[in-house]
Amino acid sequence: MKIVQHGKLSLPLILVPALSSFALPALAAEETMVVTATQGTISELDTPAAVSVVNGDDMRQAAPRVNLSESLGSVAGLQVQNRQNYAQDLQLSVRGFGSRSTYGVRGVRMYVDGIPATMPDGQGQTSNIDINSVESIEVLRGPFSALYGNASGGVVNVSTTTGTQPPTLEASSYYGSFGSWRNSIKATGATGDGTQAGDVDYAVSASRFTTHGYRDHSSAQKNLGNAKLGVRLNEASKLTLLLNSVDIDANDPGGLTEQEWHDNPTQAPRAEQYNTRKTTKQSQAGLRYDRQLTANDDLSVMTYAGVRETTQYQSIPVAPQLNPTHPGGVIELSRHYQGIDSRWTHRGNLLSVPVTFTTGLDYETMSEKRKGYENFVVENGTTVLGEKGDLRRDERNLMWNVDPYLQTAWQFTDKLSLDAGVRFSSVYFDSNDEYITARNGDDSGDASYHKWLPAAALKYAVNDAWNVYTSAGRGFETPTINELSYRDNGQAGLNFGLKPSTSDTIEIGSKTRVGNSLLTAALFQTDTDDEIVADQSSGGRTTYKNAGETRRRGMELSADSQLGYDWRVKMAWTYLDATYRSNACGGEDNCEGNRIPGIARNMGYAALEYAPPEGFYAGADVRYMSDIQANDENSEQAPAYTVASLNSGYKLRIQERWLLDVWGRVDNLFDREYVGSVIVNESNGRYFEPAPGRNYGVGVNLSYTFL
């Protein structure tokens, strides 16, 4: 019987290192999912939390390898939508956290090889994730995500490939609809088996992606590089160097009204008028040191630093910018970020009970130079839009956090275990206004936020193949720098009236192994005070407010089954009822009881694949998304949709050294017209970002192994 290998579970800070010490019974030969962690092995079945693992090889099977939205649809509780807009990144939320984000990832903590892809303020990006290098992606949902600090509605952890023998060189190319191209190259290898002093492993990848875009004014190009170099220092310690760089130049088509979407979903009238666009350059480096101090003690230290440069042109009309307090329609950001996370893990016994303690300190800091300019110039009496004009904003922002944490794992009996942990999160923000005029005052200020974040989970093993658990925890989410940067109705100054939100979550779950299948279910409720939601959104700029109380109730079901030797079925269903429990609208409108915008109440996924190691393979999947409210009043919504895709290919092994993989796919098979994502509370009613109709792609991958 073929064993289904879904990848390694290696959440970067707390949960898994503690769990890895459990005195687990031997795994049965038919174990469906085996995941490993530092100093131990544990299956997803035995993890007392809602965790899903997506294998990197599955993500690359007959896929463009450009966006995470291609392959994460099988994760229950995760809503990931492609905006068809590379200037704004994917729209990604976990259990509804992050749905308000008009760009980037908000409310979800992200890591790549232990380096946060989320800044200290809680704003994250997916643009630097190299799918060509991914070993696995783990998605943690529920109360335990609170132990990762700020912006922890969920945790997405990306682990990239570690080189092994024999060395391999791979080149791949993809061509798809709308003039989309991706070319990439990857090299992996190692000297020795990684256990002796001086052994080295390496993995290096580079790619270039270009597209004309589905919509008008949506062309983009992206250069991405990723490298990982490991050196075994001695029998007890290893040093790993991590390098990553991304360069994006993308046009921004913006949103459409419902009528514009129906008339012509590809149009981008304001984008062409103002030549809206965005450039992003980011480079970062990290160094991780792992050492086994004794048979029962481990030390891990991760340090990193990076720089991110962004310039964005927005579609803000000239008239509002004439107000002397307006920050202009062009944003220039220069961010330098760095951090260090150190932790110590001890495994032993306390009062004859096997117990693990993991304690550590996480420090992150980011300095930002933010400038604003008019997005027009006047030449010979004529106003030219989409050009950088006079300076209208100049400030220096600094945000940092210091978070000590502790997690314990207690194995009371072979069947009963307890995980409990706490994190004290302190986040600081300081702004120094350097643009002060007679009619534009000093908007400097500072703020600090502090919160204890406890979490606990109790697991009971009904038998070797069935575990049930219950968990509870508190989450904490501060305003990002971007959310603090603007006040509603064009008012001057920073939005220091915006408070952090606090969430309390309870969850019960069940995980069962039936033959060669893993079935999971989770029920949860999250109550949030002072939830941060979009207030007004216009011209690419969004202001935010606190919404009082909200509640999320839901259920997540998933199944992953191996049928026969080469057949596999994956299914997932999410029900999420997310509503306001107080009036978030203000004024005469009463939003109490309304659905929180940007969140689908139901999501479904089903996939069937035939995937032998070589020869012909094929697959099909179906995705369902229920309607999504576009504003707090629930007066407009993106309709529900169901889309399907097909893929097929052939893998040919040539003289053991060469492997040729040629494939093709068709997405949105039945040419459905639907909205791919929603811009929440867009003040002009331009809520909708359309998704493409039927589209195609073909690719070829060629690898050579140095035997």
Side-chain angles (χ1 to χ4, degrees):
M1 180 65 67
K2 183 180 180 181
I3 304 300
V4 184
Q5 294 291 342
H6 297 264
K8 295 180 179 180
L9 188 64
S10 54
L11 294 173
L13 297 182
I14 300 177
L15 180 62
V16 173
L19 293 174
S20 63
S21 65
F22 284 0
L24 298 174
L27 298 177
E30 68 273 15
E31 174 64 87
T32 302
M33 181 176 293
V34 176
V35 289
T36 61
T38 304
Q39 300 300 320
T41 300
I42 186 170
S43 68
E44 185 184 356
L45 172 71
D46 292 298
T47 306
V51 178
S52 298
V53 184
V54 180
N55 186 275
D57 289 337
D58 293 340
M59 297 176 65
R60 290 184 286 273
Q61 178 91 329
R65 310 183 189 182
V66 177
N67 299 300
L68 293 182
S69 55
E70 301 162 9
S71 51
L72 295 187
S74 61
V75 178
L78 176 65
Q79 182 176 315
V80 54
Q81 297 172 276
N82 189 344
R83 304 177 191 268
Q84 303 299 316
N85 184 348
Y86 290 91
Q88 305 295 357
D89 215 335
L90 299 177
Q91 191 175 61
L92 186 151
S93 63
V94 174
R95 293 184 174 177
F97 288 95
S99 61
R100 72 177 183 270
S101 179
T102 55
Y103 56 91
V105 178
R106 185 70 180 93
V108 178
R109 193 78 173 163
M110 302 190 68
Y111 296 87
V112 180
D113 286 328
I115 299 178
T118 302
M119 297 293 104
D121 64 343
Q123 184 73 43
Q125 306 289 334
T126 66
S127 56
N128 69 318
I129 297 174
D130 178 24
I131 296 177
N132 213 39
S133 298
V134 170
E135 176 72 21
S136 65
I137 295 181
E138 300 101 23
V139 182
L140 172 64
R141 313 177 299 280
F144 261 104
S145 61
L147 290 177
Y148 291 80
N150 190 22
S152 53
V155 179
V156 177
N157 178 51
V158 180
S159 299
T160 64
T161 300
T162 298
T164 58
Q165 291 184 332
T168 301
L169 182 64
E170 177 186 332
S172 64
S173 184
Y174 157 78
Y175 172 73
S177 299
F178 322 119
S180 300
W181 283 91
R182 178 194 53 79
N183 295 302
S184 63
I185 189 169
K186 180 174 69 172
T188 61
T191 61
D193 60 4
T195 63
Q196 304 300 316
D199 286 351
V200 175
D201 61 75
Y202 61 89
V204 181
S205 177
S207 66
R208 177 176 174 82
F209 169 73
T210 61
T211 182
H212 297 160
Y214 160 64
R215 296 179 57 195
D216 298 340
H217 202 79
S218 62
S219 62
Q221 63 180 32
K222 175 180 177 180
N223 299 317
L224 181 60
N226 196 75
K228 185 176 181 180
L229 175 67
V231 180
R232 171 64 63 179
L233 301 179
N234 51 50
E235 293 181 354
S237 59
K238 182 179 180 180
L239 195 64
T240 304
L241 175 65
L242 305 160
L243 300 171
N244 181 271
S245 178
V246 64
D247 186 346
I248 303 173
D249 188 353
N251 286 325
D252 185 351
L256 299 177
T257 65
E258 184 177 15
Q259 188 60 51
E260 289 173 334
W261 167 49
H262 287 301
D263 290 345
N264 178 11
T266 66
Q267 65 177 308
R270 288 157 296 277
E272 294 180 334
Q273 180 184 8
Y274 289 90
N275 191 19
T276 52
R277 59 200 187 273
K278 185 177 181 180
T279 59
T280 301
K281 295 182 180 180
Q282 176 179 294
S283 297
Q284 66 182 26
L287 194 63
R288 186 174 68 238
Y289 175 72
D290 297 293
R291 182 176 180 86
Q292 186 173 352
L293 301 174
T294 70
N296 296 318
D297 295 271
D298 304 312
L299 175 68
S300 178
V301 180
M302 163 67 81
T303 181
Y304 60 90
V307 58
R308 185 178 181 91
E309 307 279 351
T310 302
T311 301
Q312 182 177 8
Y313 287 74
Q314 302 174 305
S315 58
I316 298 178
V318 173
Q321 296 182 68
L322 298 180
N323 185 326
T325 63
H326 196 281
V330 179
I331 301 173
E332 282 192 358
L333 300 177
S334 178
R335 289 180 167 181
H336 292 77
Y337 57 94
Q338 49 273 320
I340 183 170
D341 176 69
S342 58
R343 67 172 181 263
W344 167 60
T345 299
H346 174 73
R347 295 169 297 280
N349 291 278
L350 184 62
L351 300 177
S352 300
V353 176
V355 62
T356 294
F357 294 90
T358 299
T359 184
L361 182 68
D362 181 22
Y363 172 74
E364 303 174 17
T365 180
M366 177 181 71
S367 61
E368 174 191 86
K369 189 69 174 178
R370 177 183 291 259
K371 293 185 177 182
Y373 299 86
E374 295 172 345
N375 66 344
F376 65 92
V377 296
V378 179
E379 299 178 350
N380 299 322
T382 301
T383 300
V384 181
L385 302 176
E387 297 291 337
K388 185 168 72 173
D390 294 337
L391 180 69
R392 300 298 299 274
R393 184 174 195 165
D394 188 1
E395 66 190 35
R396 187 272 301 151
N397 297 315
L398 179 64
M399 181 166 269
W400 70 97
N401 68 270
V402 181
D403 291 18
Y405 56 83
L406 170 69
Q407 168 118 3
T408 63
W410 307 75
Q411 189 72 39
F412 297 120
T413 69
D414 288 343
K415 292 183 175 293
L416 184 65
S417 62
L418 171 69
D419 273 73
V422 65
R423 184 184 188 104
F424 184 68
S425 187
S426 299
V427 182
Y428 303 86
F429 174 77
D430 179 77
S431 181
N432 184 16
D433 189 357
E434 298 175 355
Y435 180 78
I436 302 172
T437 67
R439 302 178 64 187
N440 188 323
D442 188 350
D443 295 323
S444 301
D446 59 77
S448 63
Y449 315 99
H450 310 273
K451 186 67 66 175
W452 286 97
L453 306 176
L458 190 66
K459 186 198 72 176
Y460 181 76
V462 180
N463 54 50
D464 289 346
W466 181 18
N467 292 325
V468 295
Y469 67 90
T470 181
S471 59
R474 171 164 293 175
F476 173 62
E477 190 175 346
T478 70
T480 67
I481 289 180
N482 287 323
E483 290 166 350
L484 291 169
S485 292
Y486 306 106
R487 299 174 65 190
D488 60 1
N489 299 317
Q491 300 178 75
L494 299 171
N495 191 10
F496 283 118
L498 198 59
K499 297 180 290 185
S501 64
T502 303
S503 301
D504 293 312
T505 300
I506 56 174
E507 178 180 320
I508 59 174
S510 173
K511 301 181 181 183
T512 307
R513 186 176 64 247
V514 180
N516 209 27
S517 303
L518 182 66
L519 311 177
T520 68
L523 296 172
F524 61 90
Q525 176 175 301
T526 301
D527 290 329
T528 303
D529 291 328
D530 295 319
E531 176 144 351
I532 301 171
V533 299
D535 185 11
Q536 300 175 2
S537 183
S538 180
R541 178 169 296 155
T542 303
T543 59
Y544 295 86
K545 63 183 179 182
N546 293 108
E549 299 179 350
T550 65
R551 170 169 288 174
R552 293 168 171 84
R553 286 176 172 171
M555 175 178 62
E556 297 164 352
L557 304 173
S558 68
D560 195 341
S561 303
Q562 192 79 22
L563 306 177
Y565 188 75
D566 295 319
W567 292 88
R568 186 176 177 186
V569 173
K570 292 191 289 186
M571 294 183 291
W573 186 271
T574 303
Y575 171 76
L576 178 56
D577 182 31
T579 58
Y580 289 118
R581 301 182 66 200
S582 58
N583 184 14
C585 294
E588 298 180 359
D589 296 318
N590 188 353
C591 296
E592 184 175 354
N594 284 8
R595 289 169 55 189
I596 301 175
I599 302 173
R601 179 166 284 176
N602 288 279
M603 294 187 296
Y605 175 88
L608 173 66
E609 64 179 35
Y610 171 70
E614 297 178 17
F616 172 80
Y617 63 88
D621 65 71
V622 178
R623 292 185 295 114
Y624 168 76
M625 187 85 68
S626 67
D627 67 282
I628 297 175
Q629 299 298 325
N631 54 20
D632 290 335
E633 295 78 13
N634 288 185
S635 60
E636 299 217 34
Q637 53 279 136
Y641 65 86
T642 302
V643 293
S645 69
L646 293 175
N647 69 79
S648 180
Y650 193 90
K651 294 181 181 179
L652 177 64
R653 176 73 62 178
I654 305 172
Q655 297 178 348
E656 296 188 9
R657 296 175 180 267
W658 296 91
L659 180 62
L660 176 66
D661 180 7
V662 181
W663 57 270
R665 64 178 298 116
V666 54
D667 291 294
N668 195 356
L669 180 63
F670 301 106
D671 201 23
R672 302 299 189 194
E673 183 179 290
Y674 69 100
V675 173
S677 62
V678 169
I679 303 174
V680 172
N681 286 338
E682 213 285 337
S683 299
N684 298 299
R686 302 164 189 155
Y687 305 111
F688 306 114
E689 295 180 291
R694 186 185 298 115
N695 58 96
Y696 307 87
V698 295
V700 59
N701 310 315
L702 180 64
S703 65
Y704 179 81
T705 302
F706 296 85
L707 297 175

